[in-house]
Amino acid sequence: MNRIPVGILGATGTVGQRFVQLLADHPWFKPIALAASDRSAGQRYADACHWLLSEPMPEAVTALVVRPIKLSLDCHLVFSALPSDVAGPVEESFAGVGYAVCSNAAAHRMDPDVPLLIPEVNPDHTELIDAQRRRHGGEGFIVTSANCSTTQLAMALKPLHDSFGLRQVSVVTMQAVSGAGYPGLPAMDILDNVIPFIPGEEDKLEQEPLKLLGTLGDGRVTDAAFVVSAQCNRVPIRDGHTECVSVEFEHQPDVGAVKAALREFIGPSRVARLPSSPARPILVRREADRPQAARDRHAQEGMSISVGRVRPCSLLDVKFVVLGHNTLRGAAGGSIHNAELLVDQGWIAR
Ligand code: NAP
């Protein structure tokens, strides 16, 4: 197929750079418009962007001139990596004039007619797009990816909820500094330290999994009925969020059955064939000291999550540790995966 031209809003930021990196050689999408704030607009991308990734900036984008965020990008699909307060009205405007918007920002995640999407978890929720299109009266729409700490939690919970029914979930996070964007936290705050507060994060982690694992019917999503209690911490790790999770089930399984449900999860077969789908969305580690951020965050190009230490819990039923890459599966990679699903399902024309 010819590659679909796409734009990136917030292309100079932490997540925007991941979009640029992942889209440079993507088989279905071609980045043709990079947009950012007035600080960057008008400069060559190579000059405007403080490149943070270890791999070099893709040659094809270095000379592209950064565009302002205007409704005149020569494409029908845009990826949004804008700060949430900016993203709200901007994404609404793009969708209103006919763009498909795949967003990483929190602004529209909980809107009733906006899909909050992880392809292996709830691919049917794209049907909400019909309701959005009726509201706009046009072809445009917004689809969101989950918060970077929600994504891996929801992926691990999906096979457990399907198999055994979830009642209660307790999660304690250790979140990387790249999750705060660039320049993020001052070194004097985060070095040699753990900060037990990330604004807005606990609410997202308590609410988003319920929508993701909710049931679609009559054009709306009914939230899943379990309860999540979250405690979020920022730790001096560059990339990769680690979470300690305890779960209580409706139908109490043994630990072996929990491990098997996690290990065997692959999601729908059509999703498994998308370009960004990993062979195994969930890798279950057998070692006593894994997963580890430094060693496991890049598993399957950063698109697999890693689960380990699955064992009985003396308060709830079972506890485990889950790790995911926050700017790959948890942000740009997840959003591109969503766009692939939208193309596969026919919501975005090839
Ligand atoms: P970031 O590093 O601060 O980058 C922000 C980007 O938005 C930059 O390109 C910036 O352009 C642009 N921007 C800022 N203010 C703007 C304005 N008023 N008008 C137009 N463009 C503006 O942030 P980030 O970490 O990449 O996060 C981007 C979004 O993804 C946020 O909504 C965040 O919550 C979400 N998210 C982040 C992660 C993560 O791990 N970091 C994970 C999941 C979701 P300039 O360079 O020109 O200022």
Side-chain angles (χ1 to χ4, degrees), residues 192-209:
D192 188 31
N193 205 5
V194 172
I195 300 175
F197 177 61
I198 303 175
E201 199 79 352
E202 291 174 356
D203 288 346
K204 292 173 194 162
L205 205 47
E206 293 183 355
Q207 291 163 9
E208 291 178 13

Side-chain angles (χ1 to χ4, degrees), residues 173-175 177 185-199 202 231-236:
T173 71
M174 289 156 277
Q175 298 183 220
V177 287
L185 297 107
M188 287 290 281
D189 285 342
I190 192 63
L191 288 179
D192 188 31
N193 205 5
V194 172
I195 300 175
F197 177 61
I198 303 175
E202 291 174 356
Q231 301 185 67
C232 296
N233 303 284
R234 188 74 71 194
V235 297

Side-chain angles (χ1 to χ4, degrees), residues 308-330:
R309 306 214 62 221
V310 185
R311 61 209 192 282
C313 173
S314 46
L315 280 180
L316 302 181
D317 293 328
V318 170
K319 56 188 173 182
F320 58 86
V321 179
V322 59
L323 166 80
H325 197 300
N326 54 297
T327 64
L328 289 170
R329 173 59 92 154

Side-chain angles (χ1 to χ4, degrees), residues 46-65:
D47 298 331
C49 178
H50 177 60
W51 189 251
L52 297 164
L53 303 176
S54 315
E55 304 80 6
M57 181 184 288
E59 194 55 39
V61 299
T62 53
L64 287 183
V65 174

Side-chain angles (χ1 to χ4, degrees), residues 101-103 114-115 117 126 129 132 141-145 335 338 342:
V101 180
C102 286
S103 173
V114 171
L117 202 60
T126 51
I129 291 170
Q132 249 189 95
F141 60 85
I142 301 169
V143 163
T144 57
S145 49
S335 207
N338 285 347
L342 294 167

Side-chain angles (χ1 to χ4, degrees), residues 10-16 35-40 69 81-84 86 104-106 109 146-148 178-182 241 326-327 330-331:
T12 49
T14 312
V15 174
S37 78
D38 292 344
R39 184 191 69 78
S40 308
I69 309 279
L82 293 169
S84 205
V86 180
N104 277 269
R109 282 184 197 142
N147 173 270
C148 45
S178 62
Y182 188 81
H241 292 349
N326 54 297
T327 64

